[in-house]
Amino acid sequence: MRAGELAPPPPVGTPSGWVLRIGQRAIPVVGPSWRDPRLHVAAVIVSLQVLGQAVLGFQLSIAQILVTILTCAALEVGITLVRRQVLLWPASALLTGNGVALLLRATGTGHGQWWSLQGAGYFALAGTLSLGSKYVLRGRGGHIFNPSNFGLVCVFLLFGTRVVNPQDLWWGPMSPGLALTMVVIVAGGLTLVARVRMVGTAVAFWVVFAVLTGVTAATGHCMTARWHLGPVCGGSYWWSLALSPEILVFLFFMITDPKTAPEGRASRVAFGALVGLLAALAVAPAGTEFWTKLGVLGALAVACAGRPFIDAAVSRFGRAWGRRLAPLATGGVVLAVAGLVVAGLPARPTAAAVPAQAMAPRHITVSPPALPPSVGIDPSVGKVVGGVPPALAQQLASALAGDLALEAQALQNRDRAVAAEAGTGDWLAALDRTIAQGGLIEVPTYHLTKLTVVAVPNPLRPQDPPRLGVVVTGSVQWTAEGTAIVGQVVRAPSPGLHETFVMAPSPGAPALISAVIG
């Protein structure tokens, strides 16, 4: 993941002594070296990819990983061959590609679609931008930006959440697989930062980021996430950020890249603290997980661009302003906290929506359809935080039965006020149009044989919290209202009913139908 090189490539022709001969031309071959720290990082990232595919349910295909890696490798091999006349083992490029693939997701890719090329162009573009920045955007004898970070930020800003998204902050409920993943990240990360002497950078970032996001959480900040029912607030918000596997990967394997961090111990500590400060300020106004993660990644890009100023400031503090450092630091903390409080105002909801709602009585004159003995809960619900207990599943089923009865009542009486008690959104709009059209109106009578509560993502807004839905299996019979054949069956009963009714919470009342997915 650390797209920048951890160590400079070996001198041309010395590691392997191999030579590739093409006609009269001899091209030195530089192979991998076991002493290269990048192999250490590669082992950790590959382990995370394997765990993600095997036990964590990553929505990422092997084909997407390979597209990204091969794009970066081909570019680096070609560029070094042209510039240095050497065939170089692309250690840095392989790391860049693997790191991009670890954090990039293409909307529509499901877990288990091992060879899906969904969004392959975005992966290739991210790899190209990452690797290209290493050779194009340079200063002070090296590349300015962490390559994988630069490519990811560019792709997310260019295309947005409908087509590409960062990997989730939450990698699933605690399990042996997730526990092993955390061990791999922390153990591998600590070993790496000790080896490259950047422990201070890592510690400075985490302390500043954790403290300041704690302040943000304490002031009532919330964000929405596709893995959480309702907004993520308070302690859950802080935990999701400060101890997220994705933040730890960012901490250990991206900001601690010696090639894009300042030189000198004090400058590197200041660099880590600055990234933490910028990240905290960027996520404070973010109301969605997408912008929260983009804020964290963008903070590193800004800090890398300001690396010369960090070196100059630290040098000046060390020589002339040592006695003023404490009051200046105190003033900086005060300003940072004030900035967080102000910046976080847009992301503080007046009241957090909750899935469970009180069951207020409704005036239903049509008999609701009978419910089956039990209501099932789909495994998709268990993949989100704040899942559905059996009592809530039963409550949703009862609300649905009442909504269906009110639908029939509204159609029979052509009463739009009753329709508003049954539904909302697109479903209510369609019901209102039916009532307003006049003439023959067909009234459904449902017979429910099986109900299952599911989590329903929003395909148009992939980062939105999932909605709860009830999959209905059974049959429906249609009768006519408003003509001479009132009460007569106008369509044969449909025994193949299998639809998902998306339910919307309604404060102080049962959940309402908001959409139907056939």
Side-chain angles (χ1 to χ4, degrees):
M1 179 68 171
R2 107 195 277 81
E5 296 170 292
L6 292 176
V12 174
T14 59
S16 64
W18 301 339
V19 174
L20 175 66
R21 297 190 179 277
I22 302 177
Q24 300 297 318
R25 185 180 178 187
I27 303 174
V29 177
V30 179
S33 169
W34 291 110
R35 294 176 296 176
D36 191 339
R38 290 171 295 186
L39 292 182
H40 176 117
V41 184
V44 175
I45 301 304
V46 170
S47 298
L48 295 180
Q49 294 281 31
V50 172
L51 287 167
Q53 297 291 338
V55 298
L56 298 180
F58 279 5
Q59 294 178 329
L60 175 72
S61 74
I62 297 173
Q64 291 166 340
I65 298 172
L66 292 177
V67 164
T68 318
I69 291 175
L70 291 176
T71 298
C72 293
L75 285 172
E76 182 150 85
V77 169
I79 291 171
T80 55
L81 182 60
V82 170
R83 287 188 172 186
R84 300 172 53 190
Q85 303 299 305
V86 60
L87 194 61
L88 178 71
W89 168 254
S92 182
L94 297 179
L95 222 47
T96 298
N98 219 336
V100 168
L102 182 66
L103 296 186
L104 179 62
R105 298 293 180 268
T107 302
T109 306
H111 175 65
Q113 299 176 346
W114 313 121
W115 302 108
S116 170
L117 287 172
Q118 174 77 25
Y122 301 116
F123 284 85
L125 177 61
T128 301
L129 291 172
S130 298
L131 211 288
S133 71
K134 177 181 171 181
Y135 291 97
V136 176
L137 303 177
R138 301 180 65 83
R140 303 181 69 183
H143 49 281
I144 298 172
F145 298 101
N146 179 287
S148 61
N149 177 264
F150 180 85
L152 288 167
V153 169
C154 287
V155 168
F156 293 143
L157 287 175
L158 285 172
F159 299 104
T161 182
R162 287 200 177 185
V163 293
V164 290
N165 286 282
Q167 162 66 3
D168 293 337
L169 290 168
W170 186 70
W171 288 16
M174 183 52 66
S175 63
L178 182 58
L180 177 59
T181 301
M182 296 296 286
V183 169
V184 170
I185 294 173
V186 175
L190 289 175
T191 304
L192 176 69
V193 296
R195 183 175 180 181
V196 297
R197 295 186 176 90
M198 296 199 63
V199 174
T201 307
V203 172
F205 165 80
W206 191 87
V207 169
V208 171
F209 183 70
V211 170
L212 294 183
T213 51
V215 172
T216 303
T219 57
H221 178 96
C222 294
M223 72 173 183
T224 58
R226 69 189 189 101
W227 43 265
H228 196 281
L229 295 174
V232 188
C233 305
S236 297
Y237 170 79
W238 182 86
W239 184 275
S240 301
L241 279 174
L243 298 176
S244 164
E246 183 174 347
I247 295 298
L248 295 178
V249 168
F250 174 80
L251 156 68
F252 286 123
F253 305 109
M254 191 174 278
I255 70 171
T256 55
D257 177 4
K259 286 292 181 179
T260 53
E263 298 180 0
R265 181 178 301 177
S267 294
R268 288 181 170 182
V269 170
F271 177 77
L274 178 62
V275 176
L277 171 62
L278 294 174
L281 289 172
V283 305
T288 67
E289 186 185 14
F290 176 83
W291 287 106
T292 297
K293 292 179 289 191
L294 185 56
V296 173
L297 293 172
L300 176 58
V302 173
C304 287
R307 184 176 59 175
F309 302 101
I310 297 173
D311 285 330
V314 170
S315 175
R316 187 175 182 181
F317 274 126
R319 289 199 308 267
W321 291 7
R323 296 179 181 178
R324 301 180 185 179
L325 185 57
L328 285 173
T330 303
V333 169
V334 172
L335 288 175
V337 171
L340 288 173
V341 173
V342 174
L345 288 174
R348 291 177 203 143
T350 55
V354 294
Q357 301 293 336
M359 295 296 288
R362 295 186 285 184
H363 300 92
I364 301 175
T365 60
V366 175
S367 298
L371 297 175
S374 62
V375 179
I377 300 176
D378 189 78
S380 64
V381 178
K383 296 180 181 179
V384 298
V385 178
V388 178
L392 178 57
Q394 191 66 43
Q395 190 181 79
L396 285 171
S398 299
L400 174 62
D403 293 341
L404 296 176
L406 286 169
E407 176 193 21
Q409 184 176 323
L411 291 170
Q412 286 178 358
N413 302 326
R414 301 173 184 268
D415 191 331
R416 297 173 72 178
V418 172
E421 293 186 44
T424 185
D426 293 341
W427 188 83
L428 176 59
L431 184 57
D432 281 341
R433 287 194 297 270
T434 301
I435 293 173
Q437 71 184 7
L440 176 68
I441 291 182
E442 297 178 347
V443 180
T445 301
Y446 292 89
H447 302 277
L448 312 179
T449 59
K450 182 180 179 182
L451 299 179
T452 305
V453 176
V454 297
V456 183
N458 187 343
L460 298 179
R461 297 173 60 91
Q463 287 285 310
D464 279 2
R467 301 162 292 174
L468 290 180
V470 181
V471 178
V472 172
T473 302
S475 62
V476 60
Q477 180 174 288
W478 300 85
T479 55
E481 295 292 341
T483 68
I485 57 172
V486 172
Q488 294 186 20
V489 176
V490 294
R491 271 196 258 171
S494 172
L497 175 65
H498 188 81
E499 293 181 332
T500 300
F501 289 83
V502 181
M503 308 298 289
S506 178
L512 304 178
I513 301 172
S514 64
V516 178
I517 304 173

